[in-house]
Amino acid sequence: MSVFGSSCKFCFQIAGLAVLCASLNGCVDLDDAAGLSKLSDEARVALPKVSNDVAATCARQNTLFENTPAAERPKAEQAQDCKPYQELADHLAKDQNVLIAYFDALGKLSSNKPMGYDATIDQNVTTSSINTTFSASAIAAGNDAQNILKSLADAATSGYREKQLGQLISANDAAVQSLTQSLKKVITADYAVLLANEELSLDTFYQGPMASAQPNERLALILVQRQYAHDKTALQSRKDGIVSYGKSMDDLAALHTKLRQEAGKRANMVEVSKQIGPIVESLKTALSDIQSRSNQP
């Protein structure tokens, strides 16, 4: 079954809306209460640092393979086809963008700011037999992203106004919960396996030559040991990024749940800020951790 029936494009502009109160008592500006637009900007930069590496790990493993003498390779071993991994990374990027755009839209709508949104969801999902669980998680994420995108388009064409932001949050809660968990599963389970494979390739590439080094090759051995240590440190940083990515998805899900709950209670901005404050801070930390690790040499 096709994940996307066709390429979905929605370009819309909402301007001059009345103050949106999200079904709360008094006007709750979610951009003030949660800084949703700023958080969205941070997520837009940080999250691809992890998801893009789904393709990059394949390229790194192929580099190791190509630099291993043919006599040292298993006879049946071949370089990997990285195209399916790149397609998957692109697919994840689109789904992440929809999730981020949704939270950004909540902030802009609640603060009566013009909301510009231009999104395209590609219908092509990798059909390679990488892993059935991998594909299932990606497909679930794509379906959820499409549902959220459709909801945003409907909100735009319907001219959502006072008290309707809360309806938007409630209507999309199930899709947001599912999308965040599907993205988390692809990264924390399937991408983690790819990194484990890369680590095995890395160890095999370095350890054999290091063990067979001759005494008169000690200077060359020192250089190889340093490069090995550098590559292992970089790999560990990517593993740590998996943890931060998973935490980011959990925090986004928890934040949306709390917004839905506070909308139902008709809470004011002070109470909303109090309830979501710890989640927002946790999310900021997770995104910052991803960004800081990506800046390491």
Side-chain angles (χ1 to χ4, degrees):
M1 178 179 67
S2 175
V3 179
F4 305 113
S6 60
S7 182
C8 303
K9 293 186 178 180
F10 294 106
C11 301
F12 51 90
Q13 183 78 23
I14 298 180
L17 294 179
V19 175
L20 297 169
C21 299
S23 294
L24 307 177
N25 183 23
C27 294
V28 176
D29 187 333
L30 296 181
D31 242 1
D32 286 342
L36 289 185
S37 290
K38 187 173 187 300
L39 277 175
S40 298
D41 290 340
E42 293 173 3
R44 198 172 281 112
V45 173
L47 296 181
K49 303 287 187 183
V50 177
S51 63
N52 287 347
D53 201 59
V54 168
T57 181
C58 178
R60 290 192 299 270
Q61 291 179 63
N62 278 351
T63 298
L64 295 173
F65 175 82
E66 291 160 2
N67 284 280
T68 300
E72 298 178 17
R73 303 174 191 163
K75 291 183 179 180
E77 188 172 352
Q78 299 290 329
Q80 298 184 65
D81 179 8
C82 292
K83 182 180 178 181
Y85 297 95
Q86 185 59 63
E87 290 175 347
L88 181 58
D90 293 343
H91 174 66
L92 293 173
K94 291 179 176 71
D95 296 339
Q96 283 173 174
N97 284 339
V98 171
L99 181 65
I100 293 167
Y102 170 75
F103 277 96
D104 190 29
L106 294 184
K108 284 188 169 73
L109 288 172
S110 68
S111 60
N112 198 26
K113 295 175 183 176
M115 184 186 74
Y117 184 62
D118 184 355
T120 300
I121 298 182
D122 197 290
Q123 64 179 354
N124 296 320
V125 179
T126 179
T127 57
S128 66
S129 56
I130 300 172
N131 182 291
T132 53
T133 302
F134 207 148
S135 299
S137 300
I139 288 171
N143 287 333
D144 293 326
Q146 187 181 27
N147 289 336
I148 292 172
L149 188 63
K150 182 179 184 302
S151 181
L152 285 176
D154 290 344
T157 56
S158 299
Y160 266 32
R161 292 177 179 272
E162 186 177 2
K163 296 185 178 181
Q164 290 176 300
L165 187 56
Q167 295 175 22
L168 186 65
I169 293 173
S170 296
N172 284 285
D173 189 56
V176 170
Q177 301 303 319
S178 180
L179 176 54
T180 51
Q181 291 310 300
S182 293
L183 289 172
K184 176 184 175 181
K185 187 174 182 181
V186 171
I187 296 301
T188 63
D190 303 307
Y191 169 59
V193 170
L194 299 180
L195 287 188
N197 292 339
E198 180 182 352
E199 184 168 26
L200 179 60
S201 298
L202 195 66
D203 291 342
T204 301
F205 181 80
Y206 280 105
Q207 289 177 0
M210 286 167 55
S212 60
Q214 300 300 310
N216 62 351
E217 298 174 323
R218 62 185 183 278
L219 294 181
L221 177 59
I222 290 172
L223 293 176
V224 172
Q225 289 171 333
R226 287 177 177 174
Q227 185 62 47
Y228 181 38
H230 176 274
D231 290 350
K232 290 283 280 190
T233 298
L235 184 63
Q236 184 58 52
S237 180
R238 295 183 184 102
K239 289 182 178 180
D240 294 339
I242 289 176
V243 177
S244 297
Y245 186 98
K247 189 68 174 67
S248 297
M249 291 298 117
D250 286 342
D251 287 340
L252 285 169
L255 175 59
H256 198 268
T257 295
K258 189 61 69 173
L259 290 175
R260 177 180 58 77
Q261 292 171 345
E262 294 307 307
K265 293 186 212 176
R266 300 179 178 272
N268 57 36
M269 189 169 73
V270 174
E271 183 60 26
V272 172
S273 299
K274 178 181 177 181
Q275 292 298 322
I276 67 177
I279 301 174
V280 170
E281 288 306 312
S282 176
L283 178 55
K284 286 180 179 178
T285 298
L287 294 174
S288 177
D289 286 346
I290 293 173
Q291 188 65 24
S292 62
R293 271 189 287 273
S294 70
N295 293 332
Q296 293 174 359

